[in-house]
Amino acid sequence: MSMNRFADKILIITAPSGAGKTSVTSYLLEKFPQLAFSVSAATRQPRENEQNGVDYYFMSLDDFKRKIQDNDFIEWEMVYEGKYYGTLRSEMDRIWQADRLPVLDIDVKGAIHVQQQFPRKTLSIFIEPPSIGELRRRLEARGTETADSLQDRINKAAYEISFKHSFSHTIINDDLEKARQEAGEMVAEFIEAGRNGR
Ligand code: 5GP
């Protein structure tokens, strides 16, 4: 039996790319010291400001496939054409053993798979962009995408929004400050729930 305060709890923040998921996630990590970011494995190239082991465990496709074979992932997805991302079982264990609560910033399909495996102790928050037009504007402003990958992300977003009812909560991100506050209230309650045998 785990002596962890957060025994097997998982917090998932999911959304289409560009909906503000990362920004809500970093706010939550700052506000709640009980949380720890689950670093995913990924086969894409690091962006300029990204660090191996902090943002992702960047790895070759061969290494990623070996980890699939070894059952090292609680979920993995080819999120974009040829680009694989996965949540490592070892990350969950590392974080629970440190007596903290893992936060997963993952795509919609991955989020659904994690919920299916840990149905009772997962809180999932879907961040919805105000509109596809606004999403396009944000992704363009971020400037990290080529024209092709931008269109990929927008097509995928429209599809992902159709799954929003699969999650515990939806927050429409038309005002980032408000979205952060709302998420903060949900997470505060989740952290407290079930503690001390309640
Ligand atoms: P990016 O390439 O912009 O860092 O991430 C692309 C997408 O992959 C984002 O929606 C991000 O949340 C998602 N993602 C990151 N890590 C994982 C993971 O471990 N599993 C899944 N399914 N998606 C992930």
Side-chain angles (χ1 to χ4, degrees), residues 12 32 108 112 121 143 145 149 159:
I12 304 175
F32 300 102
V108 166
I112 289 172
K121 294 188 171 178
E145 308 310 316
S149 74
Y159 176 72

Side-chain angles (χ1 to χ4, degrees), residues 13-18 21-22 37-42 44-45 47 50 55-56 58 64 73 75-80 83-88 104-111 113 142 144-145 153 156 160:
I13 310 297
T14 190
S17 173
K21 178 174 50 173
T22 304
F37 183 66
S38 160
V39 180
S40 293
R44 73 156 168 74
Q45 289 301 310
R47 295 179 187 136
E50 287 179 329
D55 299 283
Y56 287 105
F58 293 103
F64 196 98
F73 293 116
E75 65 77 32
W76 61 270
E77 293 292 331
M78 187 176 82
V79 175
Y80 299 108
K83 303 294 177 225
Y84 291 76
Y85 298 76
T87 305
L88 293 158
L104 280 53
D105 169 343
I106 62 178
D107 89 325
V108 166
K109 268 199 213 161
H113 288 152
R142 192 168 79 180
T144 53
E145 308 310 316
R153 281 172 194 249
K156 188 166 183 288
E160 288 177 329

Side-chain angles (χ1 to χ4, degrees), residues 2-161:
S2 168
M3 297 306 286
N4 186 320
R5 281 181 296 171
F6 308 114
D8 299 350
K9 278 190 187 177
I10 293 178
L11 172 62
I12 304 175
I13 310 297
T14 190
S17 173
K21 178 174 50 173
T22 304
S23 147
V24 170
T25 304
S26 44
Y27 167 80
L28 293 172
L29 285 164
E30 218 168 280
K31 184 174 170 73
F32 300 102
Q34 299 94 329
L35 304 179
F37 183 66
S38 160
V39 180
S40 293
T43 66
R44 73 156 168 74
Q45 289 301 310
R47 295 179 187 136
E48 203 168 330
N49 56 341
E50 287 179 329
Q51 261 177 282
N52 188 34
V54 175
D55 299 283
Y56 287 105
Y57 299 109
F58 293 103
M59 61 183 65
S60 68
L61 187 54
D62 277 354
D63 286 347
F64 196 98
K65 286 185 171 162
R66 199 164 304 122
K67 288 192 184 295
I68 295 174
Q69 290 294 315
D70 293 346
N71 194 27
D72 286 346
F73 293 116
I74 64 169
E75 65 77 32
W76 61 270
E77 293 292 331
M78 187 176 82
V79 175
Y80 299 108
E81 191 55 41
K83 303 294 177 225
Y84 291 76
Y85 298 76
T87 305
L88 293 158
R89 212 174 287 286
S90 57
E91 271 300 280
M92 300 298 100
D93 290 338
R94 176 182 71 76
I95 293 169
W96 285 326
Q97 273 166 27
D99 203 19
R100 290 163 86 193
L101 200 167
V103 183
L104 280 53
D105 169 343
I106 62 178
D107 89 325
V108 166
K109 268 199 213 161
I112 289 172
H113 288 152
V114 174
Q115 283 195 125
Q116 285 167 345
Q117 287 184 70
F118 301 91
R120 286 173 355 106
K121 294 188 171 178
T122 300
L123 183 81
S124 56
I125 301 177
F126 181 86
I127 314 285
E128 185 177 358
S131 68
I132 293 289
E134 173 62 15
L135 183 70
R136 177 186 291 278
R137 202 190 58 72
R138 287 181 194 175
L139 284 170
E140 281 168 356
R142 192 168 79 180
T144 53
E145 308 310 316
T146 64
D148 273 359
S149 74
L150 184 85
Q151 195 53 49
D152 272 3
R153 281 172 194 249
I154 285 169
N155 294 343
K156 188 166 183 288
Y159 176 72
E160 288 177 329
I161 291 168

Side-chain angles (χ1 to χ4, degrees), residues 194-198:
R195 285 180 63 176
N196 306 319
R198 272 185 295 144

